Amino acid sequence: MVKLSSKTFASAFAAAAMGFAAFCAPAFAAEDPDMAARWSGDTVKIGFLANLTGPGAYTDIPPKMAIEDYVEEINAKGGWLGKKVELVSYDAGRDALTESVTAVNKMIQQDKVIAIVGPTGSRYALPIITLCNESKTPCITIGATNAKITVSEETGKVQPYMYRVSFADPYQGAAMADFAYNKLGIKQLATIAGVEDLYAQGILKFFTDEYKRLGGEVISAQSYQMSDVEFRAQLSTIGGTGATVLFAPAAEYRFATLIAKQAEQLGLQFTYLFTDGVYAPELLETAGPQVEGAYISTPMIDEEPAYAEYKKAFDERHKSTGYKANIYAYYGLDGIKLLEWAVHKTNSFDGEVLKKALDTAKDVPLFTEPFTIDPATHNPLNKSVTILKVEDGKYTLFDKVKPQN
């Protein structure tokens, strides 16, 4: 059996996603020639694409709830431009490539959405780029960090209808490398990441490039399949190099849990460097002692004092579901508020008109912090990065960085 390298797999996935989406895209011209049909009635619809049933659903269900709550508030105040707002949600948790494309086709052709908010995962956003561009439907991703979502790898040009309210892989990866090398003084380390995990591979590339540029040495680089639950072989190899620090980006906390627990079983002790994909209360519940002393880069902390009142109300309202407000819920609010700003600024639901507003967004007051877009990348400028440390079984604020782009 031939194994694809992580780079080859990522390129193949992106190519397949683009090709599959392109195959479906021409239908828009024939079936939806009149863009005004999307808002001709008394209701305007917004699409929400998410993983609602897969193992990583903890990143998608809270933002869905947060946006639904906010839509209720919008409608209680008269809606947008006198029309009721409706959120249309689709699950792509079983098969990111095919289900994402199918869902967005339905959103645009059947539901007539004016825009899409979400997804949180890069593997759900990459397949829908062509569909959004061809149909002129703005998509505001709320956690999908792969750089290719908003900028074409082939042309270097911005994807015209794809936007992002979170920071992207290049920045998070480089920021974590700088933190490890300059703040912590780590001169050598090992890495491990999922081959098919586009989120992890994106961050890993930029982390590794920046870390080596600074003078750091990666003494072991290991990988695994997303279906794997056994990591002892890779960890033993890393342990044999004498590495004491392990950079392990992952899209879901379960990988961090398995890696930390199995390392302990092998008698290996690492200082872990994680990224925001694993940041969840469940990580501490499943591997608290094993990840003690770990550092995690994240856009913010769930328990951010500025959001305490909102979090308390959200947690109480959704107590029966078992879900609590998290960073993805906050990003969900950023996404819907950015779209709301564009609608009111332009007094329009037209995708082309909304795009022009989004392209020039500056100091827009969102839920987390003011938003200014980089028109060349459709990424936010000056986005804060928070570094957390696991101490005494809790997430604690260790450092906060806000670059000036």
Side-chain angles (χ1 to χ4, degrees), residues 186 188-191 217-221 235-247 268-271:
I186 297 169
Q188 61 176 212
L189 49 69
T191 66
E217 180 185 6
V218 177
I219 56 178
S220 182
L235 292 168
S236 294
T237 299
I238 292 171
T241 67
T244 59
V245 179
L246 182 57
F247 178 61
L268 299 172
Q269 290 187 337
F270 298 114
T271 296

Side-chain angles (χ1 to χ4, degrees), residues 74 79-82 338-348 354:
I74 291 170
W80 286 351
L81 310 184
L338 180 60
L339 177 59
E340 180 177 47
W341 169 84
V343 167
H344 288 306
K345 179 175 176 62
T346 62
N347 203 40
S348 175
L354 294 174

Side-chain angles (χ1 to χ4, degrees), residues 129 136 201 206 238 254 285 296 304 343 360 387 398:
I129 295 171
K136 299 180 181 178
Q201 288 297 327
F206 293 106
I238 292 171
R254 62 189 174 102
E285 295 167 6
I296 304 175
E304 191 85 34
V343 167
T360 59
I387 305 294
F398 186 83

Side-chain angles (χ1 to χ4, degrees), residues 67-402:
I67 295 171
E68 287 172 340
D69 291 346
Y70 191 66
V71 167
E72 282 188 26
E73 293 181 26
I74 291 170
N75 290 330
K77 297 175 182 177
W80 286 351
L81 310 184
K83 294 180 183 290
K84 180 182 177 182
V85 178
E86 180 182 340
L87 186 71
V88 180
S89 300
Y90 285 92
D91 175 33
R94 290 180 297 273
D95 184 336
L97 176 58
T98 58
E99 290 190 333
S100 294
V101 172
T102 299
V104 171
N105 262 316
K106 288 182 178 178
M107 287 182 193
I108 298 170
Q109 298 185 58
Q110 178 179 302
D111 301 313
K112 309 295 183 184
V113 300
I114 63 166
I116 297 167
V117 177
T120 63
S122 296
R123 61 185 180 275
Y124 306 101
L126 284 167
I128 67 172
I129 295 171
T130 299
L131 299 181
C132 292
N133 289 339
E134 291 288 336
S135 64
K136 299 180 181 178
T137 304
C139 176
I140 303 173
T141 68
I142 59 174
T145 58
N146 191 286
K148 290 179 284 190
I149 292 167
T150 57
V151 176
S152 169
E153 187 177 44
E154 289 74 26
T155 66
K157 294 181 179 180
V158 70
Q159 300 288 5
Y161 285 85
M162 300 299 293
Y163 299 87
R164 186 185 346 251
V165 293
S166 63
F167 46 54
D169 291 343
Y171 177 64
Q172 184 174 192
M176 199 56 168
D178 181 76
F179 172 75
Y181 189 85
N182 291 318
K183 284 267 187 170
L184 299 182
I186 297 169
K187 305 308 177 187
Q188 61 176 212
L189 49 69
T191 66
I192 185 169
V195 174
E196 310 106 308
D197 187 343
L198 300 183
Y199 160 84
Q201 288 297 327
I203 292 179
L204 178 64
K205 178 189 183 302
F206 293 106
F207 174 91
T208 301
D209 289 349
E210 180 65 9
Y211 187 68
K212 289 180 177 179
R213 188 192 71 78
L214 292 169
E217 180 185 6
V218 177
I219 56 178
S220 182
Q222 300 295 311
S223 62
Y224 56 85
Q225 303 296 323
M226 293 290 281
S227 58
D228 288 350
V229 294
E230 175 57 58
F231 305 96
R232 289 179 179 84
Q234 297 96 318
L235 292 168
S236 294
T237 299
I238 292 171
T241 67
T244 59
V245 179
L246 182 57
F247 178 61
E252 299 170 16
Y253 74 86
R254 62 189 174 102
F255 295 109
T257 294
L258 289 168
I259 288 168
K261 282 184 171 292
Q262 291 175 23
E264 182 185 61
Q265 291 164 5
L266 291 170
L268 299 172
Q269 290 187 337
F270 298 114
T271 296
Y272 293 99
L273 304 178
F274 294 127
T275 51
D276 60 336
V278 310
Y279 175 49
E282 291 86 350
L283 176 63
L284 301 184
E285 295 167 6
T286 56
Q290 291 80 26
V291 297
E292 184 72 16
Y295 297 94
I296 304 175
S297 60
T298 179
M300 65 205 89
I301 188 170
D302 288 350
E303 306 294 338
E304 191 85 34
Y307 316 143
E309 184 177 347
Y310 173 82
K311 179 174 173 55
K312 181 180 179 181
F314 180 101
D315 292 354
E316 181 62 31
R317 179 170 187 171
H318 299 287
K319 187 176 181 179
S320 63
T321 69
Y323 286 99
K324 295 183 178 181
N326 58 19
I327 61 173
Y328 305 102
Y330 306 152
Y331 267 157
L333 289 174
D334 276 354
I336 187 68
K337 283 177 174 282
L338 180 60
L339 177 59
E340 180 177 47
W341 169 84
V343 167
H344 288 306
K345 179 175 176 62
T346 62
N347 203 40
S348 175
F349 297 121
D350 183 279
E352 290 185 83
V353 177
L354 294 174
K355 168 187 158 43
K356 290 178 182 178
L358 293 171
D359 285 348
T360 59
K362 183 176 181 181
D363 296 327
V364 178
L366 302 184
F367 181 79
T368 60
E369 59 186 341
F371 177 91
T372 296
I373 200 166
D374 178 355
T377 64
H378 283 185
N379 294 329
L381 291 172
N382 306 329
K383 198 72 179 178
S384 298
V385 173
T386 297
I387 305 294
L388 305 179
K389 185 176 183 181
V390 179
E391 292 183 307
D392 299 324
K394 299 178 181 179
Y395 292 119
T396 60
L397 179 62
F398 186 83
D399 198 9
K400 198 160 189 175
V401 180
K402 186 164 186 175

